[in-house]
Amino acid sequence: MSVEILDGATIVNFMEDEEAFNVQICDRFAHLDSDHDGRLSYGEMLKELQCLRVFETHFGVDVETDPDELVRVYDSLFVQFDHDLNGTVDLEEFKSETKLMMLGMANGMGFLPVQMVLEEDSFLKKAAEWESAKLVA
């Protein structure tokens, strides 16, 4: 994990660079696709869904959550990704839903810089690294 400063524009600009965004999407999808069949099962996607950390934390300490509630939340998130409801998520579904979620985060953050603790492989971390590389270049 690392601490980064970013805002909604960082996320939007990263997604607008289609080449950079697509590389990250394809890399993440390949990493999650443990059986290399070109589709993500619920089990494969669960790792990614858990990284979203959709439950509230208090000063970095996770709040105890009802296991049944967790199952319901992860099930509904998986359905959001599985647009054709065939029980798996293909690359296009993964890309499309990830883009929508990132746009939602960008809109929620607004354009005032926010200091955040980010997971090393997260899309937000990749967006921050992309922005830093652009500033150096």
Side-chain angles (χ1 to χ4, degrees):
M1 289 193 194
S2 67
V3 176
E4 304 288 339
I5 297 175
L6 65 153
D7 62 13
T10 302
I11 298 168
V12 170
N13 292 336
F14 174 64
M15 289 186 311
E16 287 177 348
D17 183 339
E18 286 198 33
E19 182 180 345
F21 184 70
N22 286 338
V23 165
Q24 293 306 318
I25 288 288
C26 290
D27 286 352
R28 190 69 182 163
F29 187 89
H31 172 75
L32 294 171
D33 186 14
S34 58
D35 63 6
H36 309 291
D37 67 354
R39 299 180 312 255
L40 300 178
S41 66
Y42 179 81
E44 290 169 323
M45 268 298 286
L46 188 57
K47 293 179 281 188
E48 186 72 1
L49 297 175
Q50 290 168 333
C51 288
L52 294 174
R53 300 181 56 80
V54 295
F55 290 99
E56 186 176 341
T57 61
H58 295 281
F59 303 105
V61 177
D62 291 332
V63 175
E64 188 74 27
T65 307
D66 175 21
D68 292 335
E69 183 182 2
L70 279 173
V71 169
R72 285 190 302 275
V73 168
Y74 292 139
D75 286 350
S76 69
L77 283 170
F78 183 79
V79 168
Q80 268 191 263
F81 277 86
D82 184 14
H83 297 169
D84 59 10
L85 301 176
N86 69 352
T88 61
V89 175
D90 64 32
L91 179 60
E92 286 306 310
E93 290 171 322
F94 184 73
K95 178 181 173 182
S96 171
E97 197 59 36
T98 300
K99 192 174 240 185
L100 286 174
M101 292 179 93
M102 288 187 71
L103 281 172
M105 283 186 258
N107 288 336
M109 289 175 70
F111 294 98
L112 292 174
V114 177
Q115 187 174 11
M116 298 179 74
V117 176
L118 302 176
E119 306 260 346
E120 288 303 316
D121 289 336
S122 73
F123 285 108
L124 292 179
K125 173 71 174 167
K126 300 300 182 188
E129 290 171 347
W130 174 87
E131 183 176 64
S132 293
K134 289 284 191 190
L135 293 173
V136 172

